[in-house]
Amino acid sequence: MTDIVLSARKGAVVTLTLNRPEKLNAIDFATIERLHALLDGIEADESARAVILTGAGERAFSAGADIREFSATVWAGPETALREFVRRGQRLTSRLESFPKPIIAAVNGLAFGGGCEVTEAVPLAIASERALFAKSEIKLGFPPPYGGTQRLPRLIGRKRALAMLLTGDSVSPQEALAAGLVNRVVPHDQLLDAARELAERIAAMPPLAVTACLAATTRGLNLSIDEGLAVEASQFARVAATQDIREGMSAFLEKRPAHFTGR
C-alpha cells in the first residue's frame, strides 16, 4: 500500500510529501493522522532540525480537505462535524504553527482551502511559479474551518483576506508574495532546491535559539507589545544558560566559525 505521506531524510532536513496526487493531495482523516505521527517522530529526534512540506505530482500542493470523506460528518450534524471535521483540521494547523522546528511549505501547485490554511499555518513558505492559492470553501457553502478566517487576516491584512474569503477567487504566487502569504517565488524546477537551501541554512543555526524564535513569534503575535516582550524575555532566559549561547558569543569574539550542538 502506498504511503499517503512520504518521509525522506537528507542530513538534518526531513521532507514530508503529501502523496495523494490522484486526489490533488486532498487532506483526509488518514493524512492528518499520518502527519501527526511523523511530526511526533521528528520532534523527538534531536538530529532533525528542519522540515519541508510539499505535495506529490505536478498539479497540487493540496486542493484542501477531502470533501467526499468529510461531507459525511457534516451531514451527520453540527456536533459530529465540529468534532470530526473542524477540530481535527484545527489541531493539525495549530500543530504546524507551533511546531518547535521550522516547517517550510514548498508549494508546488494548487493550495486551495485546507491546503492554503496549511500554508498560512507554517512559519515559512516558498512557492513555485505554478502555484495558485484560494479560499475556496465559500463556494461549498461554509467558511474556512482550519484557521483560515483567523490566520489569513493576520498575515495579509483584513481587506485582502476578506476578498479571498468572500469570493473564492484564486491568487497568483506573485500576488501571494506581495501580500506576505509566501516568502519567495521560484521557477517550478527549482522549488525543492530552494526550500532545501533555506532549510539547511536554518538547520545550521543553534537549534535551541531557532525554537525560541519560533515560540516567541508565534505566541507573541496576538498579544499586546508588553505581553509579547515578556514572552520574548522568557524565551531568551531558556537559552541564556546553554552551551550554544556561550559558543556563539565566543566564536564571534574569537573570529572563528561557531559549532552549535543544541546543548
Side-chain angles (χ1 to χ4, degrees), residues 29-192:
F29 292 146
T31 299
I32 290 173
E33 296 308 312
R34 179 63 175 155
L35 279 169
H36 277 300
L38 289 167
L39 290 171
D40 286 345
I42 294 167
E43 184 172 357
D45 183 353
E46 291 186 1
S47 66
R49 300 281 182 88
V51 180
I52 296 169
L53 179 61
T54 192
E58 293 296 315
R59 298 179 61 194
F61 172 69
S62 174
D66 189 329
I67 299 303
R68 184 173 297 278
E69 181 178 71
F70 291 138
S71 62
T73 70
V74 175
W75 294 332
E79 289 186 6
T80 302
L82 284 172
R83 183 180 65 249
E84 300 296 332
F85 179 29
V86 177
R87 289 173 186 152
R88 283 193 190 197
Q90 288 186 351
R91 278 196 298 270
L92 175 62
T93 53
S94 293
R95 181 83 187 281
L96 295 171
E97 182 178 49
S98 62
F99 198 65
K101 302 176 184 184
I103 301 176
I104 303 165
V107 185
N108 56 304
L110 302 178
F112 285 7
C116 192
E117 285 169 307
V118 166
T119 307
E120 296 156 21
V122 299
L124 299 163
I126 297 177
S128 157
E129 61 192 355
R130 299 182 190 174
L132 278 179
F133 302 86
K135 307 303 296 181
S136 48
E137 295 92 340
I138 193 76
K139 296 181 179 180
L140 298 173
F142 59 86
Y146 290 1
T149 64
Q150 302 306 302
R151 292 190 180 92
L152 190 64
R154 287 166 167 80
L155 281 171
I156 71 173
R158 175 172 171 262
K159 294 188 185 303
R160 282 173 170 166
L162 281 171
M164 292 180 66
L165 291 165
L166 298 178
T167 67
D169 289 347
S170 62
V171 171
S172 72
Q174 291 76 21
E175 291 171 308
L177 176 64
L181 181 56
V182 301
N183 298 88
R184 186 180 173 194
V185 178
V186 298
H188 185 73
D189 61 359
Q190 297 177 23
L191 176 64
L192 287 179

